[in-house]
Amino acid sequence: MRSTKASAAVARLNTRDPHHRYSLGITASGFFYMLRAVPGGSPEKISDDLTLDEFVQFANRTGPQKPARVSKLDVAFEKQLGNRKAGG
């Protein structure tokens, strides 16, 4: 169960960053670490040994980030706030 959460974070990272291939390693003491490789290259360790939660946070911060989705309602609300600030 523990490694499922970590492997899901790595899978999301691989989806966001097509230029590298990420994988995870687990130490004998139960810590996780991140490996990164370019296609055709050998993997290199890019993180320290981390707890599960630290590893998931590291994976979420690594690589390109997905832009936040903004709805039409959000845009209208921001516009309304801008008008209110400009109007005084």
Side-chain angles (χ1 to χ4, degrees):
M1 175 73 179
R2 289 173 42 105
S3 63
T4 303
K5 186 175 180 182
S7 62
V10 172
R12 288 190 305 272
L13 177 56
N14 280 322
T15 302
R16 288 193 322 261
D17 189 359
H19 303 295
H20 296 96
R21 204 73 220 145
Y22 295 92
S23 59
L24 69 98
I26 304 174
T27 65
S29 56
F31 289 100
F32 296 87
Y33 58 91
M34 176 85 64
L35 298 164
R36 177 177 61 194
V38 293
S42 61
E44 63 176 301
K45 187 175 178 181
I46 62 168
S47 75
D48 295 329
D49 295 345
L50 306 168
T51 65
L52 175 63
D53 291 332
E54 291 171 338
F55 179 83
V56 170
Q57 288 176 356
F58 179 79
N60 289 339
R61 289 190 317 260
T62 303
Q65 301 298 309
K66 278 180 119 175
R69 292 180 57 173
V70 179
S71 72
K72 289 190 261 182
L73 295 175
D74 292 332
V75 171
F77 182 68
E78 288 293 325
K79 186 177 178 182
Q80 231 179 8
L81 287 177
N83 289 342
R84 189 170 290 169
K85 287 180 184 175

